[in-house]
Amino acid sequence: MATTFWIVILVLAVLLATVAATWLGLPALSRQQRPWTRRVFGLPLTIVLVLVLAACGRATSEKTVRKLAGSPEALKARQEVELASRDVIAVWDAETPLTLGLVVLEDVCVGGSAKELFFPTGSDRYKIRCSMSVAAYFGADPRRMADTIDGVLSAGDRTGPPIPFDHEFHYARTVVDYYRGKTGDPRGPGTGEPTELFSAGTIELSWDQVRSGDTGEVIEEPRSCSPHDPPVRRCLREPASASVAGLRREYGMVFKITMPVTNYFTVWK
């Protein structure tokens, strides 16, 4: 935002310097010629100034962001998205062999930026945008990987969208066969143990690698929560005392489902 401001100032300075140099370079003009000269050079400069100043709209103030984030419309949208995410997690906990141990929810509302003249990102088009991300961590027995993933697919057969992985997913069946020792690396020779099932626009299921010992990829701890400051910023970790390391100690390994970030409330400028 500050960079854009100074770029605008620089452009204005160049324009003013150019006009001044042109003006001073003109020969002495009669009184009849001077008004015409002012119109020729003054009008374009005025238009440029007006357009540039109009383009430099201000960023949304913190007070406005807080007001909009706490509006009934934002509250309703926030509750609907959060409830839908929790419902999905409940289905995974009830229908799959996985045991829920930790839920992390981040909810952030940000104000729109000042007008972006040179490197637009789109953030100058809205007054406020609120987004929510949700992830859930589950414990599982590493000795039963094939049965666990096959159980997830069977749950997907029954439930549909809340669990978007089923036995029609060829790659997922190959992963099950891999853990049963019936086939090689699912992603091709030499690619090693799989780490995830992915369904575009829905859910990503990832897990600790259990065949690679200490060198395998494992699910990382969720990042630290941002300061909790509703309605602008919420960060929930349930239960607060839970951790990925704790789940791994208790169950042997960890699965994680990650839901897509949802832009649930936007007010356009």
Side-chain angles (χ1 to χ4, degrees):
M1 200 158 48
T3 302
T4 301
F5 172 79
W6 287 112
I7 291 175
V8 170
I9 294 299
L10 178 61
V11 171
L12 285 174
V14 172
L15 286 170
L16 289 171
T18 302
V19 171
T22 304
W23 183 280
L24 294 174
L26 292 172
L29 301 172
S30 65
R31 291 182 179 178
Q32 291 79 10
Q33 291 175 310
R34 285 174 185 168
W36 175 85
T37 307
R38 291 194 184 98
R39 287 196 300 270
V40 170
F41 290 99
L43 183 58
L45 180 59
T46 301
I47 293 174
V48 169
L49 285 171
V50 169
L51 291 176
V52 171
L53 292 175
C56 296
R58 294 181 178 180
T60 309
S61 68
E62 183 178 349
K63 180 179 179 181
T64 299
V65 171
R66 186 168 292 276
K67 179 180 178 181
L68 292 173
S71 67
E73 296 82 5
L75 178 60
K76 180 181 178 182
R78 182 176 298 121
Q79 289 175 334
E80 290 176 349
V81 171
E82 182 173 341
L83 181 59
S85 298
R86 291 185 182 277
D87 285 346
V88 169
I89 293 171
V91 171
W92 277 79
D93 189 32
E95 298 290 337
T96 74
L98 304 173
T99 303
L100 179 63
L102 174 63
V103 175
V104 177
L105 180 150
E106 291 191 72
D107 176 18
V108 180
C109 294
V110 296
S113 67
K115 185 65 177 179
E116 299 172 316
L117 296 177
F118 300 100
F119 307 103
T121 64
S123 63
D124 59 346
R125 298 174 54 203
Y126 55 79
K127 291 182 180 180
I128 183 176
R129 171 167 288 171
C130 298
S131 304
M132 186 180 297
S133 61
V134 181
Y137 299 79
F138 300 81
D141 186 343
R143 297 167 298 181
R144 297 178 55 83
M145 283 296 291
D147 291 340
T148 298
I149 296 176
D150 192 46
V152 169
L153 302 185
S154 295
D157 293 336
R158 297 190 300 270
T159 67
I163 303 176
F165 312 110
D166 54 33
H167 282 95
E168 293 184 4
F169 189 178
H170 174 74
Y171 175 76
R173 295 199 312 270
T174 303
V175 170
V176 173
D177 289 341
Y178 167 85
Y179 283 111
R180 293 197 192 282
K182 295 180 178 180
T183 186
D185 299 342
R187 293 171 293 179
T191 57
E193 186 175 356
T195 59
E196 65 178 4
L197 296 177
F198 180 75
S199 178
T202 54
I203 287 176
E204 177 186 352
L205 173 66
S206 50
W207 56 84
D208 290 347
Q209 288 189 323
V210 297
R211 286 192 171 183
S212 306
D214 294 337
T215 61
E217 295 183 33
V218 296
I219 301 299
E220 296 181 350
E221 295 285 349
R223 65 184 181 184
S224 299
C225 272
S226 304
H228 194 64
D229 184 24
V232 174
R233 185 178 296 105
R234 296 188 309 143
C235 187
L236 306 178
R237 185 168 177 154
E238 303 170 349
S241 60
S243 68
V244 170
L247 287 174
R248 191 173 289 119
R249 283 193 300 269
E250 182 175 357
Y251 296 97
M253 65 163 303
V254 176
F255 278 77
K256 174 187 178 183
I257 62 171
T258 306
M259 302 183 196
V261 175
T262 303
N263 295 323
Y264 65 86
F265 182 69
T266 304
V267 177
W268 301 99
K269 288 184 179 179

